[in-house]
mmCIF file of all heavy atoms in Angstrom:
data_model
loop_
_atom_site.group_PDB
_atom_site.id
_atom_site.type_symbol
_atom_site.label_atom_id
_atom_site.label_comp_id
_atom_site.label_asym_id
_atom_site.label_seq_id
_atom_site.Cartn_x
_atom_site.Cartn_y
_atom_site.Cartn_z
ATOM 1 N N SER A 8 -34.615 21.110 24.516
ATOM 2 C CA SER A 8 -35.733 20.618 23.723
ATOM 3 C C SER A 8 -36.924 20.384 24.625
ATOM 4 O O SER A 8 -36.852 20.598 25.831
ATOM 5 C CB SER A 8 -35.348 19.316 23.011
ATOM 6 O OG SER A 8 -35.380 18.237 23.917
ATOM 7 N N TRP A 34 -36.426 11.137 17.174
ATOM 8 C CA TRP A 34 -36.802 10.047 16.279
ATOM 9 C C TRP A 34 -37.910 9.212 16.892
ATOM 10 O O TRP A 34 -38.917 8.947 16.296
ATOM 11 C CB TRP A 34 -35.595 9.137 16.035
ATOM 12 C CG TRP A 34 -34.583 9.742 15.138
ATOM 13 C CD1 TRP A 34 -33.694 10.728 15.438
ATOM 14 C CD2 TRP A 34 -34.357 9.399 13.775
ATOM 15 N NE1 TRP A 34 -32.920 11.005 14.351
ATOM 16 C CE2 TRP A 34 -33.303 10.194 13.322
ATOM 17 C CE3 TRP A 34 -34.922 8.489 12.902
ATOM 18 C CZ2 TRP A 34 -32.823 10.110 12.030
ATOM 19 C CZ3 TRP A 34 -34.435 8.405 11.632
ATOM 20 C CH2 TRP A 34 -33.399 9.221 11.212
ATOM 21 N N VAL A 44 -48.144 2.171 11.737
ATOM 22 C CA VAL A 44 -47.352 1.855 10.561
ATOM 23 C C VAL A 44 -45.892 1.942 11.004
ATOM 24 O O VAL A 44 -45.531 2.801 11.807
ATOM 25 C CB VAL A 44 -47.634 2.858 9.415
ATOM 26 C CG1 VAL A 44 -46.709 2.646 8.239
ATOM 27 C CG2 VAL A 44 -49.083 2.773 8.982
ATOM 28 N N LEU A 69 -40.592 -3.578 1.655
ATOM 29 C CA LEU A 69 -40.657 -2.123 1.801
ATOM 30 C C LEU A 69 -41.554 -1.563 0.701
ATOM 31 O O LEU A 69 -41.454 -1.981 -0.459
ATOM 32 C CB LEU A 69 -39.237 -1.554 1.664
ATOM 33 C CG LEU A 69 -39.033 -0.093 1.991
ATOM 34 C CD1 LEU A 69 -39.220 0.142 3.496
ATOM 35 C CD2 LEU A 69 -37.625 0.341 1.571
ATOM 36 N N CYS A 94 -54.817 -9.103 8.487
ATOM 37 C CA CYS A 94 -54.732 -10.567 8.399
ATOM 38 C C CYS A 94 -54.784 -11.260 9.754
ATOM 39 O O CYS A 94 -54.968 -12.474 9.812
ATOM 40 C CB CYS A 94 -53.441 -10.957 7.692
ATOM 41 S SG CYS A 94 -53.300 -10.317 6.015
ATOM 42 N N ASN A 106 -29.887 -25.190 13.445
ATOM 43 C CA ASN A 106 -28.672 -24.433 13.747
ATOM 44 C C ASN A 106 -28.567 -23.124 12.983
ATOM 45 O O ASN A 106 -27.761 -22.270 13.330
ATOM 46 C CB ASN A 106 -27.436 -25.292 13.453
ATOM 47 C CG ASN A 106 -27.345 -26.482 14.388
ATOM 48 O OD1 ASN A 106 -27.848 -26.430 15.506
ATOM 49 N ND2 ASN A 106 -26.720 -27.547 13.926
ATOM 50 N N SER A 124 -40.589 -18.379 19.638
ATOM 51 C CA SER A 124 -39.787 -17.167 19.849
ATOM 52 C C SER A 124 -39.446 -16.469 18.538
ATOM 53 O O SER A 124 -39.039 -15.305 18.542
ATOM 54 C CB SER A 124 -38.515 -17.500 20.624
ATOM 55 O OG SER A 124 -37.724 -18.420 19.898
ATOM 56 N N ARG A 137 -35.919 -5.675 17.566
ATOM 57 C CA ARG A 137 -34.961 -6.742 17.854
ATOM 58 C C ARG A 137 -35.663 -8.084 18.022
ATOM 59 O O ARG A 137 -36.669 -8.200 18.705
ATOM 60 C CB ARG A 137 -34.175 -6.403 19.117
ATOM 61 C CG ARG A 137 -33.045 -7.367 19.416
ATOM 62 C CD ARG A 137 -32.133 -6.843 20.520
ATOM 63 N NE ARG A 137 -31.610 -5.520 20.208
ATOM 64 C CZ ARG A 137 -30.576 -5.276 19.402
ATOM 65 N NH1 ARG A 137 -29.957 -6.271 18.821
ATOM 66 N NH2 ARG A 137 -30.168 -4.041 19.193
ATOM 67 N N ILE A 148 -33.630 -3.645 6.087
ATOM 68 C CA ILE A 148 -33.907 -3.617 4.648
ATOM 69 C C ILE A 148 -32.741 -4.324 3.959
ATOM 70 O O ILE A 148 -31.589 -3.873 4.072
ATOM 71 C CB ILE A 148 -34.042 -2.171 4.125
ATOM 72 C CG1 ILE A 148 -35.161 -1.436 4.860
ATOM 73 C CG2 ILE A 148 -34.287 -2.171 2.613
ATOM 74 C CD1 ILE A 148 -35.191 0.057 4.606
ATOM 75 N N TRP A 151 -28.453 -2.867 1.960
ATOM 76 C CA TRP A 151 -28.558 -1.582 2.660
ATOM 77 C C TRP A 151 -28.645 -0.367 1.757
ATOM 78 O O TRP A 151 -29.084 0.687 2.180
ATOM 79 C CB TRP A 151 -27.409 -1.418 3.646
ATOM 80 C CG TRP A 151 -26.068 -1.354 2.986
ATOM 81 C CD1 TRP A 151 -25.250 -2.397 2.692
ATOM 82 C CD2 TRP A 151 -25.400 -0.194 2.514
ATOM 83 N NE1 TRP A 151 -24.118 -1.969 2.063
ATOM 84 C CE2 TRP A 151 -24.175 -0.601 1.940
ATOM 85 C CE3 TRP A 151 -25.715 1.168 2.512
ATOM 86 C CZ2 TRP A 151 -23.274 0.282 1.380
ATOM 87 C CZ3 TRP A 151 -24.808 2.045 1.954
ATOM 88 C CH2 TRP A 151 -23.616 1.604 1.401
ATOM 89 N N GLY A 157 -40.503 -2.632 -2.920
ATOM 90 C CA GLY A 157 -40.268 -4.045 -3.134
ATOM 91 C C GLY A 157 -38.986 -4.573 -2.516
ATOM 92 O O GLY A 157 -38.744 -5.780 -2.551
#
Side-chain angles (χ1 to χ4, degrees):
S8 77
W34 286 75
V44 173
L69 189 69
C94 300
N106 294 333
S124 61
R137 187 169 305 279
I148 301 169
W151 64 270

